[in-house]
Amino acid sequence: MSAAEEAPQTPDETAAIPAEDAVRELRFAYVAGVTPGKWIRRWEERMPDVPLHSFMSDDGTQLSVLRDGSADLSFVRLPVEREGLNVIPLYEEQPVVVAPKGHEISVFEEVALADFDAETFLDVAELGGPEAALQVVASGAGLAILPMSVARHFNVKDTVARKLTGAPTTQIALAWLNEATREAAADAADQPTGEVIEEFIGIVRGRTAQSSRQPSAKVEPPKKEPKPDRRGTGVKKPKVAQRYAPNPDKGRGKGSRKKGKR
């Protein structure tokens, strides 16, 4: 019988269902350069009953998606304003310098920032983000410094990127509203439970399914039914009478029989 055909619940019956038991979806956002595929696969293996939805945000909206309720968690690029948030740093990103195709950096595998004193570097934020900045780089107007993952993600034609040493690194972190901020939100009743969020955090941090810190591991597995007795209940066969006389030498030490004629 479908949900629409079920008898409506009385107020008392509805109140008896704890809110934690309701199936909710989990939504997360991520900035360009983050590849969440492995975390999504692990979530689907461990939490198949809770739908997981993801979408990309740019650096300008990486926090607003949390505050307006579009996402429950967000993979952000530090630094960010941390008021009202929980933030867990995850990993650092390798910086690269991006130049127009044919630039002299193309003959190197790695270059140093100190070697670019005479070059013009573009302000990526002022140009509207990395994708727009890379288009300007391709035109030959200047160079740009970006995380390697971002340069690979957009992969603008007619540009070349090389590892850059001596430049500040960037860092990816996972952010979500702290408990007080979540409870004060107007749609708090529609938000996933703390255990659902903690489960996702544990997956991102590399905890195994058996980790005691994972909420899903605390659920007691169903007890296995005892295996059936395969020995059977039939009558045992009677012992067969010994047909031959016992060997007189059996059990004696070597040389115990007397030698000689019988």
Side-chain angles (χ1 to χ4, degrees):
M1 182 167 58
S2 66
E5 297 171 342
E6 291 179 357
Q9 294 175 317
T10 64
D12 291 337
E13 290 174 335
T14 304
I17 300 175
E20 291 78 9
D21 291 341
V23 177
R24 296 183 177 91
E25 68 177 17
L26 186 68
R27 303 155 300 170
F28 73 88
Y30 58 95
V31 291
V34 175
T35 51
K38 61 180 179 181
W39 302 317
I40 294 174
R41 288 191 296 271
R42 290 173 187 169
W43 178 269
E44 291 173 345
E45 291 171 358
R46 299 186 197 178
M47 303 289 287
D49 296 331
V50 181
L52 185 65
H53 299 288
S54 62
F55 61 93
M56 185 180 293
S57 62
D58 56 44
D59 290 1
T61 62
Q62 59 181 355
L63 292 184
S64 62
V65 293
L66 295 175
R67 305 195 189 280
D68 65 17
S70 301
D72 305 303
L73 304 103
S74 180
F75 290 91
V76 299
R77 185 165 283 111
L78 299 180
V80 296
E81 174 55 54
R82 302 193 179 202
E83 184 178 358
L85 299 177
N86 294 313
V87 180
I88 298 176
L90 297 175
Y91 59 88
E92 289 189 343
E93 298 176 292
Q94 169 67 49
V96 296
V97 57
V98 187
K101 193 173 183 180
H103 193 279
E104 60 183 10
I105 68 167
S106 60
V107 299
F108 301 99
E109 293 184 359
E110 186 177 277
V111 291
L113 181 61
D115 297 333
F116 293 91
D117 293 338
E119 296 282 0
T120 300
F121 282 95
L122 305 173
D123 190 313
V124 175
E126 286 186 0
L127 291 172
E131 188 171 16
L134 288 172
Q135 296 291 347
V136 177
V137 170
S139 70
L143 310 184
I145 297 176
L146 291 170
M148 178 185 288
S149 58
V150 175
R152 286 178 173 176
H153 174 79
F154 291 110
N155 192 27
V156 173
K157 188 179 179 181
D158 295 328
T159 62
V160 59
R162 290 293 182 266
K163 289 184 180 180
L164 184 64
T165 61
T169 59
T170 50
Q171 195 169 26
I172 294 296
L174 181 61
W176 70 101
L177 300 180
N178 61 30
E179 188 174 352
T181 308
R182 289 178 68 238
E183 290 177 353
D187 61 344
D190 297 327
Q191 293 179 4
T193 63
E195 285 195 350
V196 171
I197 290 178
E198 183 62 33
E199 185 74 29
F200 185 79
I201 295 168
I203 288 175
V204 172
R205 302 194 77 173
R207 296 177 194 154
T208 64
Q210 292 75 33
S211 172
S212 60
R213 300 184 66 183
Q214 287 297 93
S216 59
K218 298 174 184 178
V219 179
E220 190 173 331
K223 293 183 179 179
K224 295 182 179 179
E225 296 183 2
K227 293 182 179 180
D229 188 357
R230 296 183 179 180
R231 294 176 296 180
T233 56
V235 180
K236 292 183 178 181
K237 294 181 180 180
K239 292 183 179 180
V240 179
Q242 195 169 7
R243 299 175 63 185
Y244 302 101
N247 186 348
D249 294 335
K250 188 176 182 180
R252 294 184 181 182
K254 185 177 179 181
S256 57
R257 290 188 67 182
K258 292 182 180 180
K259 296 181 180 180
K261 295 181 179 179
R262 294 186 179 179

